Amino acid sequence: AQSVTQLGSHVSVSEGALVLLRCNYSSSVPPYLFWYVQYPNQGLQLLLKYTTGATLVKGINGFEAEFKKSETSFHLTKPSAHMSDAAEYFCAVSDRDNQGGKLIFGQGTELSVKP
Amino acid sequence: DAGVIQSPRHEVTEMGQEVTLRCKPISGHDYLFWYRQTMMRGLELLIYFNNNVPIDDSGMPEDRFSAKMPNASFSTLKIQPSEPRDSAVYFCASSLQSGARGANVLTFGAGSRLTVL
């Protein structure tokens, strides 16, 4: 069965500092991988996804993630944090057959950005 | 498109009452998902539909929960009777089946926050 582990339920960075949110997955075959962001009292929004091809994926708001098969990881990074990045971030996986986009989510990482 | 529309946004009810949550997916999308979010369990998939047909309801916690999709533009999630442990945010999401090389992307609604007293 697939699973996702996000290391660190809370991450705090200073404005302008590097953001690194960690995600490891467990799957018998390389899955599709996603990062979603949830702002307070809102639904989840897609940040980026990896399906095939280039392992470094760029998303919205300056975020990117790199698929590393050997490490079964899909960590999310942003070179310089902005106050508006404060939110909860979810890593998710789906099967290659995708089943309409059925996702298994990690527990989430809350990102705080200090001025 | 207005996106995925959920109602009500907030519901406060007493234990034992029936609760009905509603979802209007994005027009043309052929998959619809119901997720539940709690602090303790995170985001859990409850059930999903393809072309209005339930495909997998293994995540529905108990017989008190039921979901229907009578047509392509409407779905309900019903809890009867409700219990305090059902308090959570319930999300509806929809997607369109992509091509063979693609991956469906879920579009989420804003959620329905349920509090059962």
Side-chain angles (χ1 to χ4, degrees):
Chain A
Q2 293 180 322
S3 65
V4 178
T5 301
Q6 291 183 239
L7 299 177
S9 58
H10 292 88
V11 170
S12 181
V13 301
S14 297
E15 192 172 20
L18 171 72
V19 175
L20 171 60
L21 304 183
R22 299 178 187 274
C23 172
N24 287 88
Y25 68 89
S26 174
S27 178
S28 56
V29 295
Y32 292 148
L33 294 158
F34 304 78
W35 276 98
Y36 278 80
V37 61
Q38 183 181 28
Y39 298 102
N41 299 315
Q42 294 186 27
L44 282 73
Q45 304 172 32
L46 180 70
L47 269 181
L48 49 80
K49 66 177 181 179
Y50 169 77
T51 55
T52 58
T55 56
L56 182 62
V57 179
K58 295 187 185 298
I60 62 172
N61 301 338
F63 284 93
E64 61 183 35
E66 186 171 10
F67 169 62
K68 292 187 176 180
K69 182 179 176 181
S70 61
E71 299 177 8
T72 61
S73 69
F74 190 58
H75 302 331
L76 181 71
T77 60
K78 181 174 180 177
S80 176
H82 191 273
M83 296 296 291
S84 61
D85 294 327
E88 188 149 21
Y89 292 80
F90 293 90
C91 183
V93 299
S94 75
D95 283 332
R96 285 267 168 184
D97 66 12
N98 201 225
Q99 299 172 60
K102 174 184 171 184
L103 295 176
I104 305 300
F105 285 93
Q107 285 293 98
T109 298
E110 185 175 354
L111 175 67
S112 301
V113 182
K114 299 174 292 187
Chain B
D1 199 314
V4 177
I5 308 296
Q6 291 188 246
S7 63
R9 289 294 312 277
H10 302 274
E11 174 95 0
V12 180
T13 190
E14 293 188 346
M15 182 173 63
Q17 296 298 305
E18 178 179 294
V19 173
T20 300
L21 307 178
R22 298 172 177 79
C23 176
K24 176 179 168 53
I26 290 175
S27 177
H29 280 194
D30 52 0
Y31 282 87
L32 184 140
F33 298 78
W34 283 100
Y35 281 86
R36 178 172 68 175
Q37 184 180 36
T38 61
M39 290 291 291
M40 292 297 293
R41 302 173 69 91
L43 277 157
E44 305 172 277
L45 176 63
L46 300 178
I47 185 172
Y48 75 99
F49 297 82
N50 176 219
N51 292 323
N52 314 336
V53 176
I55 303 301
D56 183 356
D57 66 354
S58 60
M60 296 285 265
E62 302 172 33
D63 291 346
R64 298 184 296 106
F65 286 70
S66 63
K68 294 182 180 179
M69 192 166 186
N71 56 62
S73 59
F74 184 65
S75 177
T76 60
L77 178 67
K78 187 174 291 187
I79 308 172
Q80 167 63 21
S82 59
E83 296 183 3
R85 59 193 167 123
D86 302 331
S87 298
V89 181
Y90 292 81
F91 287 103
C92 177
S94 68
S95 71
L96 176 64
Q97 180 64 55
S98 66
R101 290 177 57 83
N104 287 26
V105 174
L106 299 188
T107 301
F108 282 79
S112 294
R113 181 176 296 275
L114 173 65
T115 303
V116 183
L117 302 175

